[in-house]
Tab-separated table of all heavy atoms in Angstrom:
chain	number	residue	atom	x	y	z
A	1	LEU	N	1.301	-11.538	-18.572
A	1	LEU	CA	1.896	-11.100	-17.307
A	1	LEU	C	1.275	-9.780	-16.852
A	1	LEU	O	0.963	-9.603	-15.663
A	1	LEU	CB	3.409	-10.945	-17.469
A	1	LEU	CG	4.178	-10.461	-16.234
A	1	LEU	CD1	3.993	-11.428	-15.064
A	1	LEU	CD2	5.666	-10.293	-16.567
A	2	MET	N	1.073	-8.859	-17.797
A	2	MET	CA	0.423	-7.579	-17.464
A	2	MET	C	-1.006	-7.802	-16.995
A	2	MET	O	-1.450	-7.188	-16.007
A	2	MET	CB	0.438	-6.655	-18.685
A	2	MET	CG	1.815	-6.176	-19.092
A	2	MET	SD	1.785	-5.277	-20.660
A	2	MET	CE	3.543	-4.968	-20.926
A	3	ASP	N	-1.739	-8.671	-17.684
A	3	ASP	CA	-3.120	-8.971	-17.283
A	3	ASP	C	-3.159	-9.623	-15.902
A	3	ASP	O	-4.045	-9.331	-15.095
A	3	ASP	CB	-3.777	-9.897	-18.311
A	3	ASP	CG	-4.258	-9.154	-19.542
A	3	ASP	OD1	-4.491	-7.938	-19.444
A	3	ASP	OD2	-4.394	-9.781	-20.608
A	4	LEU	N	-2.210	-10.509	-15.659
A	4	LEU	CA	-2.138	-11.190	-14.366
A	4	LEU	C	-1.914	-10.191	-13.228
A	4	LEU	O	-2.586	-10.237	-12.193
A	4	LEU	CB	-1.005	-12.219	-14.402
A	4	LEU	CG	-0.818	-13.100	-13.172
A	4	LEU	CD1	-2.047	-13.963	-12.930
A	4	LEU	CD2	0.415	-13.989	-13.357
A	5	MET	N	-0.992	-9.265	-13.440
A	5	MET	CA	-0.713	-8.247	-12.428
A	5	MET	C	-1.883	-7.278	-12.278
A	5	MET	O	-2.214	-6.851	-11.170
A	5	MET	CB	0.562	-7.486	-12.789
A	5	MET	CG	1.814	-8.346	-12.750
A	5	MET	SD	3.289	-7.445	-13.300
A	5	MET	CE	3.439	-6.210	-12.011
A	6	LEU	N	-2.525	-6.952	-13.411
A	6	LEU	CA	-3.648	-6.007	-13.377
A	6	LEU	C	-4.819	-6.567	-12.577
A	6	LEU	O	-5.410	-5.871	-11.747
A	6	LEU	CB	-4.091	-5.675	-14.806
A	6	LEU	CG	-5.253	-4.690	-14.959
A	6	LEU	CD1	-4.894	-3.333	-14.367
A	6	LEU	CD2	-5.646	-4.535	-16.426
A	7	VAL	N	-5.148	-7.814	-12.816
A	7	VAL	CA	-6.304	-8.406	-12.143
A	7	VAL	C	-6.023	-8.616	-10.653
A	7	VAL	O	-6.951	-8.654	-9.836
A	7	VAL	CB	-6.697	-9.732	-12.839
A	7	VAL	CG1	-5.816	-10.885	-12.404
A	7	VAL	CG2	-8.157	-10.085	-12.589
A	8	CYS	N	-4.726	-8.744	-10.288
A	8	CYS	CA	-4.364	-8.921	-8.879
A	8	CYS	C	-4.179	-7.587	-8.153
A	8	CYS	O	-4.026	-7.584	-6.926
A	8	CYS	CB	-3.078	-9.735	-8.768
A	8	CYS	SG	-3.266	-11.463	-9.248
A	9	THR	N	-4.202	-6.494	-8.882
A	9	THR	CA	-4.001	-5.182	-8.261
A	9	THR	C	-5.236	-4.713	-7.503
A	9	THR	O	-5.133	-4.130	-6.415
A	9	THR	CB	-3.625	-4.140	-9.336
A	9	THR	OG1	-2.386	-4.516	-9.944
A	9	THR	CG2	-3.469	-2.748	-8.730
A	10	ASN	N	-6.425	-4.967	-8.058
A	10	ASN	CA	-7.645	-4.400	-7.497
A	10	ASN	C	-8.633	-5.414	-6.937
A	10	ASN	O	-9.282	-5.159	-5.917
A	10	ASN	CB	-8.366	-3.570	-8.571
A	10	ASN	CG	-7.490	-2.475	-9.135
A	10	ASN	OD1	-6.670	-1.908	-8.427
A	10	ASN	ND2	-7.657	-2.167	-10.411
A	11	VAL	N	-8.766	-6.564	-7.596
A	11	VAL	CA	-9.832	-7.502	-7.239
A	11	VAL	C	-9.660	-8.113	-5.846
A	11	VAL	O	-10.641	-8.189	-5.094
A	11	VAL	CB	-9.975	-8.603	-8.313
A	11	VAL	CG1	-11.068	-9.589	-7.917
A	11	VAL	CG2	-10.301	-7.982	-9.662
A	12	PRO	N	-8.463	-8.581	-5.451
A	12	PRO	CA	-8.348	-9.161	-4.104
A	12	PRO	C	-8.746	-8.200	-2.990
A	12	PRO	O	-9.419	-8.605	-2.027
A	12	PRO	CB	-6.856	-9.533	-4.019
A	12	PRO	CG	-6.449	-9.760	-5.434
A	12	PRO	CD	-7.213	-8.742	-6.215
A	13	LYS	N	-8.371	-6.935	-3.113
A	13	LYS	CA	-8.737	-5.952	-2.096
A	13	LYS	C	-10.242	-5.712	-2.103
A	13	LYS	O	-10.865	-5.604	-1.034
A	13	LYS	CB	-7.996	-4.635	-2.350
A	13	LYS	CG	-8.321	-3.524	-1.345
A	13	LYS	CD	-7.952	-3.903	0.069
A	13	LYS	CE	-8.224	-2.776	1.035
A	13	LYS	NZ	-7.983	-3.180	2.451
A	14	MET	N	-10.836	-5.645	-3.289
A	14	MET	CA	-12.282	-5.465	-3.394
A	14	MET	C	-13.010	-6.640	-2.735
A	14	MET	O	-13.964	-6.456	-1.970
A	14	MET	CB	-12.703	-5.359	-4.860
A	14	MET	CG	-14.200	-5.239	-5.081
A	14	MET	SD	-14.725	-5.611	-6.764
A	14	MET	CE	-14.517	-7.396	-6.796
A	15	ALA	N	-12.545	-7.867	-3.014
A	15	ALA	CA	-13.179	-9.059	-2.446
A	15	ALA	C	-13.005	-9.109	-0.925
A	15	ALA	O	-13.941	-9.448	-0.197
A	15	ALA	CB	-12.579	-10.311	-3.086
A	16	ALA	N	-11.808	-8.754	-0.460
A	16	ALA	CA	-11.554	-8.768	0.990
A	16	ALA	C	-12.452	-7.770	1.716
A	16	ALA	O	-13.005	-8.064	2.778
A	16	ALA	CB	-10.083	-8.461	1.255
A	17	ASN	N	-12.607	-6.581	1.135
A	17	ASN	CA	-13.472	-5.568	1.752
A	17	ASN	C	-14.931	-6.023	1.775
A	17	ASN	O	-15.644	-5.816	2.756
A	17	ASN	CB	-13.357	-4.243	0.996
A	17	ASN	CG	-12.076	-3.493	1.329
A	17	ASN	OD1	-11.278	-3.939	2.144
A	17	ASN	ND2	-11.875	-2.356	0.696
A	18	PHE	N	-15.366	-6.644	0.691
A	18	PHE	CA	-16.760	-7.091	0.608
A	18	PHE	C	-17.038	-8.191	1.623
A	18	PHE	O	-18.061	-8.172	2.322
A	18	PHE	CB	-17.053	-7.588	-0.809
A	18	PHE	CG	-18.463	-8.075	-1.002
A	18	PHE	CD1	-19.486	-7.179	-1.270
A	18	PHE	CD2	-18.766	-9.427	-0.906
A	18	PHE	CE1	-20.797	-7.627	-1.437
A	18	PHE	CE2	-20.065	-9.885	-1.079
A	18	PHE	CZ	-21.079	-8.977	-1.338
A	19	LEU	N	-16.128	-9.154	1.733
A	19	LEU	CA	-16.348	-10.298	2.619
A	19	LEU	C	-16.190	-9.930	4.090
A	19	LEU	O	-16.879	-10.484	4.952
A	19	LEU	CB	-15.378	-11.421	2.257
A	19	LEU	CG	-15.588	-12.065	0.883
A	19	LEU	CD1	-14.477	-13.051	0.573
A	19	LEU	CD2	-16.947	-12.753	0.793
A	20	SER	N	-15.285	-8.999	4.380
A	20	SER	CA	-15.040	-8.618	5.767
A	20	SER	C	-15.976	-7.524	6.268
A	20	SER	O	-16.127	-7.331	7.479
A	20	SER	CB	-13.590	-8.159	5.943
A	20	SER	OG	-13.363	-6.944	5.233
A	21	GLY	N	-16.592	-6.802	5.334
A	21	GLY	CA	-17.442	-5.683	5.720
A	21	GLY	C	-16.675	-4.392	5.921
A	21	GLY	O	-17.268	-3.326	6.106
A	22	ARG	N	-15.350	-4.476	5.891
A	22	ARG	CA	-14.524	-3.268	5.982
A	22	ARG	C	-14.353	-2.665	4.598
A	22	ARG	O	-14.239	-3.380	3.605
A	22	ARG	CB	-13.146	-3.603	6.560
A	22	ARG	CG	-13.184	-4.122	7.992
A	22	ARG	CD	-11.769	-4.383	8.469
A	22	ARG	NE	-10.959	-3.168	8.398
A	22	ARG	CZ	-9.629	-3.167	8.501
A	22	ARG	NH1	-8.975	-4.307	8.642
A	22	ARG	NH2	-8.966	-2.032	8.445
A	23	LYS	N	-14.323	-1.369	4.517
A	23	LYS	CA	-14.195	-0.704	3.222
A	23	LYS	C	-12.976	0.206	3.153
A	23	LYS	O	-12.848	1.005	2.233
A	23	LYS	CB	-15.454	0.120	2.930
A	23	LYS	CG	-16.716	-0.727	2.794
A	23	LYS	CD	-17.898	0.114	2.369
A	23	LYS	CE	-19.136	-0.743	2.166
A	23	LYS	NZ	-20.301	0.042	1.688
A	24	SER	N	-12.083	0.079	4.093
A	24	SER	CA	-10.955	1.003	4.159
A	24	SER	C	-9.765	0.494	3.361
A	24	SER	O	-9.614	-0.698	3.111
A	24	SER	CB	-10.538	1.208	5.617
A	24	SER	OG	-10.106	-0.014	6.179
A	25	ILE	N	-8.929	1.443	2.958
A	25	ILE	CA	-7.640	1.151	2.336
A	25	ILE	C	-6.664	2.212	2.825
A	25	ILE	O	-7.023	3.388	2.943
A	25	ILE	CB	-7.727	1.142	0.793
A	25	ILE	CG1	-6.370	0.749	0.186
A	25	ILE	CG2	-8.201	2.470	0.240
A	25	ILE	CD1	-6.430	0.505	-1.313
A	26	SER	N	-5.464	1.817	3.145
A	26	SER	CA	-4.491	2.759	3.686
A	26	SER	C	-4.064	3.766	2.621
A	26	SER	O	-4.231	3.532	1.416
A	26	SER	CB	-3.271	2.014	4.215
A	26	SER	OG	-2.553	1.419	3.136
A	27	PHE	N	-3.497	4.874	3.084
A	27	PHE	CA	-3.026	5.908	2.162
A	27	PHE	C	-1.954	5.346	1.231
A	27	PHE	O	-1.990	5.566	0.015
A	27	PHE	CB	-2.467	7.087	2.964
A	27	PHE	CG	-2.025	8.243	2.120
A	27	PHE	CD1	-2.924	9.213	1.709
A	27	PHE	CD2	-0.700	8.379	1.739
A	27	PHE	CE1	-2.516	10.277	0.915
A	27	PHE	CE2	-0.285	9.441	0.951
A	27	PHE	CZ	-1.194	10.395	0.546
A	28	VAL	N	-1.000	4.601	1.797
A	28	VAL	CA	0.072	4.011	0.986
A	28	VAL	C	-0.495	2.963	0.033
A	28	VAL	O	-0.116	2.899	-1.144
A	28	VAL	CB	1.160	3.393	1.894
A	28	VAL	CG1	2.195	2.649	1.049
A	28	VAL	CG2	1.827	4.471	2.724
A	29	GLY	N	-1.435	2.145	0.528
A	29	GLY	CA	-2.060	1.144	-0.328
A	29	GLY	C	-2.803	1.767	-1.491
A	29	GLY	O	-2.770	1.248	-2.612
A	30	CYS	N	-3.454	2.887	-1.234
A	30	CYS	CA	-4.164	3.602	-2.288
A	30	CYS	C	-3.179	4.105	-3.343
A	30	CYS	O	-3.416	3.985	-4.543
A	30	CYS	CB	-4.946	4.767	-1.677
A	30	CYS	SG	-6.075	5.575	-2.816
A	31	GLY	N	-2.059	4.663	-2.881
A	31	GLY	CA	-1.045	5.146	-3.813
A	31	GLY	C	-0.475	4.030	-4.667
A	31	GLY	O	-0.264	4.191	-5.876
A	32	LEU	N	-0.235	2.870	-4.056
A	32	LEU	CA	0.295	1.732	-4.802
A	32	LEU	C	-0.700	1.232	-5.841
A	32	LEU	O	-0.312	0.859	-6.951
A	32	LEU	CB	0.663	0.600	-3.833
A	32	LEU	CG	1.882	0.852	-2.939
A	32	LEU	CD1	2.060	-0.281	-1.944
A	32	LEU	CD2	3.139	1.029	-3.782
A	33	GLN	N	-1.987	1.228	-5.488
A	33	GLN	CA	-3.002	0.823	-6.461
A	33	GLN	C	-3.000	1.747	-7.668
A	33	GLN	O	-3.064	1.296	-8.815
A	33	GLN	CB	-4.393	0.824	-5.813
A	33	GLN	CG	-4.779	-0.481	-5.171
A	33	GLN	CD	-6.279	-0.585	-4.923
A	33	GLN	OE1	-7.024	0.395	-4.988
A	33	GLN	NE2	-6.744	-1.786	-4.646
A	34	ILE	N	-2.927	3.051	-7.422
A	34	ILE	CA	-2.912	4.017	-8.520
A	34	ILE	C	-1.688	3.796	-9.404
A	34	ILE	O	-1.786	3.731	-10.634
A	34	ILE	CB	-2.939	5.457	-7.983
A	34	ILE	CG1	-4.288	5.779	-7.359
A	34	ILE	CG2	-2.624	6.466	-9.094
A	34	ILE	CD1	-4.361	7.121	-6.681
A	35	GLY	N	-0.509	3.691	-8.775
A	35	GLY	CA	0.720	3.524	-9.537
A	35	GLY	C	0.718	2.263	-10.378
A	35	GLY	O	1.057	2.287	-11.566
A	36	LEU	N	0.335	1.133	-9.770
A	36	LEU	CA	0.316	-0.130	-10.494
A	36	LEU	C	-0.719	-0.130	-11.607
A	36	LEU	O	-0.459	-0.606	-12.723
A	36	LEU	CB	0.039	-1.281	-9.521
A	36	LEU	CG	1.200	-1.689	-8.608
A	36	LEU	CD1	0.724	-2.664	-7.543
A	36	LEU	CD2	2.328	-2.306	-9.424
């Protein structure tokens, strides 16, 4: 369960940024990534 949550914390956002060409993340989103 921890591994499942860990891999879903960072990879989807990384993939979305790469495919869309956008590299931004919101301030709140950044904080949530750090906390998780």
